[in-house]
Amino acid sequence: MADEHTDPLTVEQMYGDWGIEWEDALAITGRSLNPRPRTSLYDTVGALGIGEGDRVLDIGGRDAAQALDLAERFGCRVLSVDPVRFNIDFGTEDIAKHTHGHLVENELGTIGRIPAPDDTFNLVFARDMLGHVEDLAGGLAECRRVLKTGGAMVIHDVFATPLLEPKESAWLCGELAQVPERLNDELFEQTVAEAGFTIEAVDRVASEWLEHSLESETGEKRLLLAARLRRDRDRFIEELGEIPFRVVQANNLWTIYRMIGKLEDRVVVIRA
Ligand SMILES: C[S@@+](CC[C@H](N)C(=O)[O-])C[C@H]1O[C@@H](n2cnc3c(N)ncnc32)[C@H](O)[C@@H]1O
């Protein structure tokens, strides 16, 4: 791995006396680092003082699941906007059934064309969606238009690290409808600044959310799934269909790369 040790170990160093037993080394590395759960994203929203009476835009909100969470946690009104009709239809059903559904609406739209008037929202919440956006500058300008003066954006995104090889990046972006440039953190920060936003905070979550999930019984075993999909590829393609197979397998690798530091999760707060 590019930024790790480059001096090769000898057989003696590898198998000789380390001064520590293998089992003890495993026990030490097996200790939890007490990672935060993915709900730490909501702590970031809470720290901005979002509450009852506030209006939040969840851009790229898929089936409004986060919009419903935000409404339940903070009592705010939330508009979830997504370009995929299928997501909107699912979301509409979930909103109707949810205890806080009266605070949530969902509409078809994109970050480049947000179905809301100027100066509407106290917060724009963008979780794991900017990677799909071709025109980031245009999207941020549109977010600025619908934000009230002094409003903020909470962005969760994934960026490439020097460990991600160009071929890996090209393959992942192709399979997951990602714009390759969006993985570039420097370009992201430059575009944010050019759109008239200031970066207030960057939380390098890295693998914490995934560690937390894997430390629980129900954590998704992506490495195991990736291995199975690779070993019995043709049968899985027949059973799932080609596109679901490609998305599921690339998503497995995306998640594994986030675990091993080829990709890095960050939560960024920006303000107009
Ligand atoms: C990985 S999902 C994340 C969904 C949700 N934010 C979450 O965290 O669960 C990415 C979402 O971005 C949406 N999306 C893609 N391009 C978009 C665009 N140009 N504007 C707004 N949303 C977009 C997709 O339809 C999808 O629902």
Side-chain angles (χ1 to χ4, degrees), residues 104-158:
V104 177
E105 290 174 292
N106 64 346
E107 277 198 50
L108 210 54
T110 68
I111 195 169
R113 231 189 147 122
I114 298 169
D118 297 359
D119 303 318
T120 302
F121 300 103
N122 306 83
L123 175 74
V124 175
F125 182 80
R127 193 183 93 151
D128 195 16
M129 58 75 60
L130 288 181
H132 297 301
V133 177
E134 285 280 351
D135 178 10
L136 181 60
L140 290 174
E142 183 66 349
C143 290
R144 229 187 130 179
R145 178 185 72 74
V146 298
L147 270 176
K148 290 182 181 169
T149 310
M153 278 185 83
V154 170
I155 297 167
H156 161 249
D157 238 319
V158 172

Tab-separated table of all heavy atoms in Angstrom, residues 104-158:
chain	number	residue	atom	x	y	z
A	104	VAL	N	-42.893	15.754	6.855
A	104	VAL	CA	-42.010	15.435	5.712
A	104	VAL	C	-42.782	15.427	4.394
A	104	VAL	O	-43.898	14.918	4.319
A	104	VAL	CB	-41.339	14.051	5.934
A	104	VAL	CG1	-40.487	13.645	4.744
A	104	VAL	CG2	-40.487	14.073	7.203
A	105	GLU	N	-42.164	16.022	3.392
A	105	GLU	CA	-42.691	15.933	2.016
A	105	GLU	C	-41.564	15.422	1.127
A	105	GLU	O	-40.385	15.603	1.463
A	105	GLU	CB	-43.100	17.321	1.520
A	105	GLU	CG	-44.328	17.882	2.200
A	105	GLU	CD	-44.555	19.317	1.751
A	105	GLU	OE1	-43.736	20.177	2.115
A	105	GLU	OE2	-45.518	19.544	1.017
A	106	ASN	N	-41.928	14.827	0.007
A	106	ASN	CA	-40.882	14.464	-0.958
A	106	ASN	C	-41.319	14.857	-2.358
A	106	ASN	O	-42.501	14.874	-2.680
A	106	ASN	CB	-40.508	12.975	-0.872
A	106	ASN	CG	-41.619	12.048	-1.240
A	106	ASN	OD1	-42.768	12.458	-1.332
A	106	ASN	ND2	-41.298	10.788	-1.432
A	107	GLU	N	-40.313	15.243	-3.152
A	107	GLU	CA	-40.602	15.705	-4.514
A	107	GLU	C	-39.489	15.286	-5.443
A	107	GLU	O	-38.323	15.171	-5.027
A	107	GLU	CB	-40.707	17.231	-4.538
A	107	GLU	CG	-42.080	17.730	-4.126
A	107	GLU	CD	-42.304	19.163	-4.555
A	107	GLU	OE1	-42.063	19.471	-5.746
A	107	GLU	OE2	-42.702	19.947	-3.689
A	108	LEU	N	-39.891	15.127	-6.700
A	108	LEU	CA	-38.916	14.833	-7.747
A	108	LEU	C	-38.095	16.093	-8.027
A	108	LEU	O	-38.646	17.194	-8.091
A	108	LEU	CB	-39.706	14.447	-9.000
A	108	LEU	CG	-39.123	13.486	-10.009
A	108	LEU	CD1	-38.679	12.176	-9.378
A	108	LEU	CD2	-40.140	13.234	-11.109
A	109	GLY	N	-36.799	15.955	-8.193
A	109	GLY	CA	-35.955	17.110	-8.517
A	109	GLY	C	-34.508	16.692	-8.463
A	109	GLY	O	-34.182	15.539	-8.159
A	110	THR	N	-33.636	17.636	-8.746
A	110	THR	CA	-32.198	17.370	-8.672
A	110	THR	C	-31.549	18.517	-7.909
A	110	THR	O	-32.174	19.555	-7.680
A	110	THR	CB	-31.541	17.304	-10.062
A	110	THR	OG1	-31.592	18.619	-10.625
A	110	THR	CG2	-32.219	16.310	-10.973
A	111	ILE	N	-30.285	18.351	-7.584
A	111	ILE	CA	-29.572	19.430	-6.894
A	111	ILE	C	-29.413	20.635	-7.831
A	111	ILE	O	-29.253	21.757	-7.372
A	111	ILE	CB	-28.201	18.935	-6.370
A	111	ILE	CG1	-27.633	19.922	-5.355
A	111	ILE	CG2	-27.230	18.660	-7.496
A	111	ILE	CD1	-26.431	19.410	-4.584
A	112	GLY	N	-29.482	20.379	-9.126
A	112	GLY	CA	-29.373	21.483	-10.088
A	112	GLY	C	-30.699	22.190	-10.309
A	112	GLY	O	-30.743	23.264	-10.920
A	113	ARG	N	-31.772	21.576	-9.843
A	113	ARG	CA	-33.117	22.147	-10.034
A	113	ARG	C	-33.956	21.749	-8.821
A	113	ARG	O	-34.672	20.747	-8.841
A	113	ARG	CB	-33.724	21.567	-11.305
A	113	ARG	CG	-34.236	22.636	-12.224
A	113	ARG	CD	-35.013	22.011	-13.343
A	113	ARG	NE	-36.071	22.910	-13.719
A	113	ARG	CZ	-36.215	23.392	-14.922
A	113	ARG	NH1	-35.390	23.050	-15.856
A	113	ARG	NH2	-37.222	24.190	-15.181
A	114	ILE	N	-33.851	22.533	-7.769
A	114	ILE	CA	-34.522	22.204	-6.511
A	114	ILE	C	-35.928	22.826	-6.520
A	114	ILE	O	-36.069	24.033	-6.753
A	114	ILE	CB	-33.699	22.736	-5.310
A	114	ILE	CG1	-32.312	22.050	-5.279
A	114	ILE	CG2	-34.442	22.496	-3.993
A	114	ILE	CD1	-31.324	22.662	-4.307
A	115	PRO	N	-36.947	21.994	-6.300
A	115	PRO	CA	-38.312	22.510	-6.383
A	115	PRO	C	-38.716	23.279	-5.112
A	115	PRO	O	-39.558	22.829	-4.332
A	115	PRO	CB	-39.142	21.231	-6.556
A	115	PRO	CG	-38.346	20.171	-5.886
A	115	PRO	CD	-36.901	20.538	-6.033
A	116	ALA	N	-38.101	24.444	-4.925
A	116	ALA	CA	-38.411	25.277	-3.745
A	116	ALA	C	-38.014	26.718	-4.054
A	116	ALA	O	-37.064	26.956	-4.819
A	116	ALA	CB	-37.631	24.784	-2.523
A	117	PRO	N	-38.728	27.681	-3.462
A	117	PRO	CA	-38.376	29.090	-3.684
A	117	PRO	C	-37.054	29.477	-3.007
A	117	PRO	O	-36.536	28.729	-2.171
A	117	PRO	CB	-39.537	29.867	-3.033
A	117	PRO	CG	-40.516	28.876	-2.552
A	117	PRO	CD	-39.889	27.517	-2.591
A	118	ASP	N	-36.551	30.662	-3.348
A	118	ASP	CA	-35.338	31.199	-2.708
A	118	ASP	C	-35.552	31.288	-1.192
A	118	ASP	O	-36.679	31.446	-0.722
A	118	ASP	CB	-35.058	32.626	-3.217
A	118	ASP	CG	-34.778	32.661	-4.713
A	118	ASP	OD1	-34.785	31.595	-5.346
A	118	ASP	OD2	-34.577	33.777	-5.235
A	119	ASP	N	-34.476	31.275	-0.443
A	119	ASP	CA	-34.475	31.559	1.016
A	119	ASP	C	-35.487	30.722	1.791
A	119	ASP	O	-36.240	31.257	2.607
A	119	ASP	CB	-34.798	33.048	1.272
A	119	ASP	CG	-33.823	33.969	0.567
A	119	ASP	OD1	-32.628	33.663	0.594
A	119	ASP	OD2	-34.281	34.964	-0.024
A	120	THR	N	-35.515	29.419	1.532
A	120	THR	CA	-36.525	28.569	2.185
A	120	THR	C	-35.970	27.807	3.391
A	120	THR	O	-36.659	27.663	4.396
A	120	THR	CB	-37.060	27.522	1.167
A	120	THR	OG1	-37.594	28.221	0.053
A	120	THR	CG2	-38.138	26.650	1.792
A	121	PHE	N	-34.733	27.327	3.306
A	121	PHE	CA	-34.277	26.315	4.272
A	121	PHE	C	-33.201	26.865	5.233
A	121	PHE	O	-32.362	27.674	4.835
A	121	PHE	CB	-33.701	25.099	3.532
A	121	PHE	CG	-34.702	24.435	2.627
A	121	PHE	CD1	-34.656	24.638	1.249
A	121	PHE	CD2	-35.704	23.634	3.156
A	121	PHE	CE1	-35.588	24.041	0.406
A	121	PHE	CE2	-36.640	23.033	2.314
A	121	PHE	CZ	-36.583	23.241	0.941
A	122	ASN	N	-33.235	26.338	6.467
A	122	ASN	CA	-32.181	26.647	7.442
A	122	ASN	C	-30.974	25.741	7.220
A	122	ASN	O	-29.858	26.084	7.601
A	122	ASN	CB	-32.688	26.429	8.870
A	122	ASN	CG	-33.950	27.203	9.139
A	122	ASN	OD1	-35.043	26.750	8.809
A	122	ASN	ND2	-33.803	28.392	9.698
A	123	LEU	N	-31.245	24.550	6.649
A	123	LEU	CA	-30.166	23.568	6.465
A	123	LEU	C	-30.413	22.762	5.192
A	123	LEU	O	-31.547	22.374	4.912
A	123	LEU	CB	-30.151	22.593	7.662
A	123	LEU	CG	-29.166	21.427	7.564
A	123	LEU	CD1	-27.732	21.905	7.780
A	123	LEU	CD2	-29.507	20.337	8.584
A	124	VAL	N	-29.332	22.527	4.451
A	124	VAL	CA	-29.374	21.526	3.373
A	124	VAL	C	-28.532	20.338	3.840
A	124	VAL	O	-27.375	20.502	4.238
A	124	VAL	CB	-28.835	22.081	2.037
A	124	VAL	CG1	-28.793	20.966	0.998
A	124	VAL	CG2	-29.690	23.242	1.539
A	125	PHE	N	-29.151	19.172	3.804
A	125	PHE	CA	-28.508	17.929	4.253
A	125	PHE	C	-28.228	17.113	2.994
A	125	PHE	O	-29.139	16.867	2.190
A	125	PHE	CB	-29.514	17.231	5.173
A	125	PHE	CG	-29.066	15.955	5.803
A	125	PHE	CD1	-28.251	15.954	6.930
A	125	PHE	CD2	-29.521	14.734	5.321
A	125	PHE	CE1	-27.883	14.764	7.546
A	125	PHE	CE2	-29.156	13.543	5.933
A	125	PHE	CZ	-28.333	13.565	7.046
A	126	ALA	N	-26.975	16.744	2.785
A	126	ALA	CA	-26.605	16.018	1.556
A	126	ALA	C	-25.782	14.807	1.951
A	126	ALA	O	-24.566	14.893	2.123
A	126	ALA	CB	-25.814	16.929	0.622
A	127	ARG	N	-26.455	13.667	2.153
A	127	ARG	CA	-25.735	12.476	2.611
A	127	ARG	C	-25.442	11.568	1.433
A	127	ARG	O	-26.363	11.090	0.757
A	127	ARG	CB	-26.580	11.721	3.661
A	127	ARG	CG	-25.749	10.662	4.383
A	127	ARG	CD	-26.554	9.860	5.359
A	127	ARG	NE	-27.080	8.652	4.749
A	127	ARG	CZ	-27.334	7.519	5.407
A	127	ARG	NH1	-27.143	7.463	6.711
A	127	ARG	NH2	-27.814	6.471	4.791
A	128	ASP	N	-24.160	11.380	1.161
A	128	ASP	CA	-23.729	10.364	0.215
A	128	ASP	C	-24.369	10.536	-1.160
A	128	ASP	O	-24.847	9.572	-1.738
A	128	ASP	CB	-24.095	8.985	0.813
A	128	ASP	CG	-23.378	7.850	0.118
A	128	ASP	OD1	-22.401	8.110	-0.589
A	128	ASP	OD2	-23.821	6.694	0.271
A	129	MET	N	-24.403	11.755	-1.669
A	129	MET	CA	-25.039	11.958	-2.970
A	129	MET	C	-24.240	12.855	-3.920
A	129	MET	O	-24.420	12.767	-5.130
A	129	MET	CB	-26.477	12.478	-2.818
A	129	MET	CG	-26.684	13.755	-2.066
A	129	MET	SD	-26.227	15.222	-2.971
A	129	MET	CE	-27.306	15.138	-4.389
A	130	LEU	N	-23.338	13.689	-3.422
A	130	LEU	CA	-22.654	14.633	-4.324
A	130	LEU	C	-21.777	13.906	-5.336
A	130	LEU	O	-21.491	14.443	-6.409
A	130	LEU	CB	-21.818	15.643	-3.525
A	130	LEU	CG	-22.610	16.700	-2.745
A	130	LEU	CD1	-21.644	17.639	-2.014
A	130	LEU	CD2	-23.534	17.505	-3.648
A	131	GLY	N	-21.383	12.679	-5.017
A	131	GLY	CA	-20.562	11.896	-5.939
A	131	GLY	C	-21.235	11.649	-7.278
A	131	GLY	O	-20.568	11.384	-8.273
A	132	HIS	N	-22.566	11.756	-7.316
A	132	HIS	CA	-23.291	11.521	-8.566
A	132	HIS	C	-23.445	12.797	-9.406
A	132	HIS	O	-23.981	12.744	-10.504
A	132	HIS	CB	-24.703	11.009	-8.274
A	132	HIS	CG	-24.743	9.680	-7.577
A	132	HIS	ND1	-24.185	8.545	-8.106
A	132	HIS	CD2	-25.286	9.306	-6.391
A	132	HIS	CE1	-24.382	7.523	-7.281
A	132	HIS	NE2	-25.037	7.965	-6.231
A	133	VAL	N	-23.026	13.933	-8.853
A	133	VAL	CA	-23.392	15.219	-9.468
A	133	VAL	C	-22.300	15.692	-10.440
A	133	VAL	O	-21.165	15.945	-10.035
A	133	VAL	CB	-23.638	16.275	-8.355
A	133	VAL	CG1	-23.937	17.635	-8.964
A	133	VAL	CG2	-24.785	15.816	-7.453
A	134	GLU	N	-22.684	15.828	-11.716
A	134	GLU	CA	-21.742	16.295	-12.748
A	134	GLU	C	-21.342	17.749	-12.482
A	134	GLU	O	-20.175	18.087	-12.455
A	134	GLU	CB	-22.417	16.236	-14.144
A	134	GLU	CG	-22.559	14.847	-14.728
A	134	GLU	CD	-21.270	14.332	-15.354
A	134	GLU	OE1	-20.311	15.114	-15.488
A	134	GLU	OE2	-21.234	13.131	-15.665
A	135	ASP	N	-22.350	18.608	-12.316
A	135	ASP	CA	-22.096	20.042	-12.173
A	135	ASP	C	-22.191	20.428	-10.693
A	135	ASP	O	-23.227	20.906	-10.228
A	135	ASP	CB	-23.122	20.815	-13.022
A	135	ASP	CG	-22.948	22.321	-12.897
A	135	ASP	OD1	-21.926	22.775	-12.322
A	135	ASP	OD2	-23.850	23.053	-13.347
A	136	LEU	N	-21.090	20.222	-9.974
A	136	LEU	CA	-21.108	20.504	-8.534
A	136	LEU	C	-21.278	22.001	-8.271
A	136	LEU	O	-22.031	22.399	-7.368
A	136	LEU	CB	-19.815	19.995	-7.878
A	136	LEU	CG	-19.719	20.214	-6.373
A	136	LEU	CD1	-20.848	19.508	-5.623
A	136	LEU	CD2	-18.370	19.759	-5.834
A	137	ALA	N	-20.594	22.828	-9.067
A	137	ALA	CA	-20.691	24.284	-8.867
A	137	ALA	C	-22.145	24.734	-9.025
A	137	ALA	O	-22.673	25.496	-8.202
A	137	ALA	CB	-19.788	25.006	-9.862
A	138	GLY	N	-22.804	24.225	-10.078
A	138	GLY	CA	-24.214	24.580	-10.313
A	138	GLY	C	-25.104	24.084	-9.178
A	138	GLY	O	-26.021	24.775	-8.736
A	139	GLY	N	-24.829	22.874	-8.700
A	139	GLY	CA	-25.627	22.294	-7.608
A	139	GLY	C	-25.475	23.096	-6.332
A	139	GLY	O	-26.456	23.375	-5.628
A	140	LEU	N	-24.242	23.504	-6.028
A	140	LEU	CA	-24.018	24.277	-4.796
A	140	LEU	C	-24.658	25.658	-4.905
A	140	LEU	O	-25.211	26.184	-3.921
A	140	LEU	CB	-22.515	24.399	-4.521
A	140	LEU	CG	-21.818	23.099	-4.099
A	140	LEU	CD1	-20.308	23.305	-4.001
A	140	LEU	CD2	-22.365	22.574	-2.767
A	141	ALA	N	-24.613	26.233	-6.103
A	141	ALA	CA	-25.250	27.548	-6.301
A	141	ALA	C	-26.758	27.442	-6.056
A	141	ALA	O	-27.381	28.320	-5.453
A	141	ALA	CB	-24.973	28.056	-7.724
A	142	GLU	N	-27.329	26.336	-6.496
A	142	GLU	CA	-28.768	26.113	-6.306
A	142	GLU	C	-29.081	25.901	-4.809
A	142	GLU	O	-30.083	26.404	-4.302
A	142	GLU	CB	-29.173	24.903	-7.163
A	142	GLU	CG	-30.629	24.532	-7.173
A	142	GLU	CD	-31.572	25.546	-7.821
A	142	GLU	OE1	-31.159	26.690	-8.112
A	142	GLU	OE2	-32.757	25.203	-7.977
A	143	CYS	N	-28.205	25.199	-4.103
A	143	CYS	CA	-28.382	25.033	-2.646
A	143	CYS	C	-28.319	26.392	-1.966
A	143	CYS	O	-29.099	26.689	-1.054
A	143	CYS	CB	-27.305	24.112	-2.063
A	143	CYS	SG	-27.522	22.399	-2.561
A	144	ARG	N	-27.400	27.209	-2.411
A	144	ARG	CA	-27.257	28.563	-1.829
A	144	ARG	C	-28.524	29.377	-2.055
A	144	ARG	O	-28.967	30.119	-1.177
A	144	ARG	CB	-26.091	29.263	-2.522
A	144	ARG	CG	-25.162	29.882	-1.518
A	144	ARG	CD	-24.108	30.706	-2.149
A	144	ARG	NE	-24.089	32.000	-1.465
A	144	ARG	CZ	-23.273	32.969	-1.754
A	144	ARG	NH1	-22.402	32.833	-2.715
A	144	ARG	NH2	-23.304	34.100	-1.088
A	145	ARG	N	-29.109	29.218	-3.244
A	145	ARG	CA	-30.341	29.955	-3.571
A	145	ARG	C	-31.462	29.620	-2.598
A	145	ARG	O	-32.185	30.500	-2.131
A	145	ARG	CB	-30.778	29.622	-5.017
A	145	ARG	CG	-32.077	30.289	-5.446
A	145	ARG	CD	-32.538	29.835	-6.814
A	145	ARG	NE	-33.051	28.464	-6.862
A	145	ARG	CZ	-34.230	28.079	-6.392
A	145	ARG	NH1	-35.050	28.958	-5.822
A	145	ARG	NH2	-34.604	26.809	-6.477
A	146	VAL	N	-31.608	28.335	-2.266
A	146	VAL	CA	-32.754	27.940	-1.425
A	146	VAL	C	-32.450	28.046	0.073
A	146	VAL	O	-33.351	27.918	0.894
A	146	VAL	CB	-33.255	26.507	-1.772
A	146	VAL	CG1	-33.747	26.451	-3.203
A	146	VAL	CG2	-32.190	25.449	-1.510
A	147	LEU	N	-31.167	28.281	0.425
A	147	LEU	CA	-30.819	28.452	1.849
A	147	LEU	C	-31.171	29.859	2.305
A	147	LEU	O	-30.965	30.830	1.572
A	147	LEU	CB	-29.316	28.246	2.048
A	147	LEU	CG	-28.812	26.847	2.356
A	147	LEU	CD1	-27.279	26.858	2.417
A	147	LEU	CD2	-29.383	26.302	3.665
A	148	LYS	N	-31.641	29.950	3.564
A	148	LYS	CA	-31.823	31.270	4.169
A	148	LYS	C	-30.443	31.867	4.442
A	148	LYS	O	-29.457	31.124	4.572
A	148	LYS	CB	-32.586	31.147	5.482
A	148	LYS	CG	-34.027	30.757	5.283
A	148	LYS	CD	-34.732	30.695	6.616
A	148	LYS	CE	-36.162	30.272	6.397
A	148	LYS	NZ	-36.866	29.939	7.612
A	149	THR	N	-30.386	33.172	4.613
A	149	THR	CA	-29.108	33.815	4.934
A	149	THR	C	-28.515	33.174	6.190
A	149	THR	O	-29.222	32.994	7.183
A	149	THR	CB	-29.339	35.325	5.194
A	149	THR	OG1	-30.094	35.835	4.104
A	149	THR	CG2	-28.032	36.072	5.327
A	150	GLY	N	-27.254	32.819	6.100
A	150	GLY	CA	-26.581	32.206	7.258
A	150	GLY	C	-26.840	30.716	7.392
A	150	GLY	O	-26.351	30.084	8.330
A	151	GLY	N	-27.618	30.151	6.465
A	151	GLY	CA	-27.922	28.715	6.529
A	151	GLY	C	-26.687	27.880	6.208
A	151	GLY	O	-25.727	28.352	5.603
A	152	ALA	N	-26.736	26.623	6.632
A	152	ALA	CA	-25.567	25.743	6.457
A	152	ALA	C	-25.935	24.513	5.638
A	152	ALA	O	-27.112	24.195	5.443
A	152	ALA	CB	-25.044	25.315	7.820
A	153	MET	N	-24.897	23.855	5.149
A	153	MET	CA	-25.060	22.530	4.537
A	153	MET	C	-24.267	21.531	5.356
A	153	MET	O	-23.118	21.798	5.735
A	153	MET	CB	-24.494	22.494	3.107
A	153	MET	CG	-25.417	23.034	2.053
A	153	MET	SD	-24.703	22.816	0.382
A	153	MET	CE	-25.141	21.106	0.005
A	154	VAL	N	-24.863	20.377	5.627
A	154	VAL	CA	-24.126	19.256	6.216
A	154	VAL	C	-23.970	18.216	5.112
A	154	VAL	O	-24.966	17.704	4.587
A	154	VAL	CB	-24.863	18.658	7.433
A	154	VAL	CG1	-24.207	17.344	7.862
A	154	VAL	CG2	-24.861	19.638	8.600
A	155	ILE	N	-22.731	17.969	4.757
A	155	ILE	CA	-22.428	17.074	3.626
A	155	ILE	C	-21.696	15.842	4.140
A	155	ILE	O	-20.691	15.973	4.848
A	155	ILE	CB	-21.525	17.813	2.609
A	155	ILE	CG1	-22.271	19.020	2.015
A	155	ILE	CG2	-21.046	16.859	1.516
A	155	ILE	CD1	-21.353	19.972	1.253
A	156	HIS	N	-22.228	14.671	3.787
A	156	HIS	CA	-21.426	13.460	3.990
A	156	HIS	C	-20.958	13.002	2.623
A	156	HIS	O	-21.760	12.881	1.692
A	156	HIS	CB	-22.236	12.332	4.651
A	156	HIS	CG	-21.584	10.992	4.443
A	156	HIS	ND1	-22.135	10.014	3.645
A	156	HIS	CD2	-20.398	10.502	4.862
A	156	HIS	CE1	-21.323	8.974	3.613
A	156	HIS	NE2	-20.265	9.234	4.339
A	157	ASP	N	-19.666	12.796	2.495
A	157	ASP	CA	-19.142	12.347	1.209
A	157	ASP	C	-17.948	11.433	1.396
A	157	ASP	O	-17.401	11.339	2.489
A	157	ASP	CB	-18.733	13.552	0.353
A	157	ASP	CG	-19.509	13.527	-0.948
A	157	ASP	OD1	-19.657	12.438	-1.511
A	157	ASP	OD2	-19.963	14.604	-1.384
A	158	VAL	N	-17.576	10.799	0.314
A	158	VAL	CA	-16.462	9.849	0.345
A	158	VAL	C	-15.410	10.340	-0.649
A	158	VAL	O	-15.747	10.681	-1.785
A	158	VAL	CB	-16.973	8.442	-0.033
A	158	VAL	CG1	-15.831	7.462	-0.204
A	158	VAL	CG2	-17.944	7.928	1.030
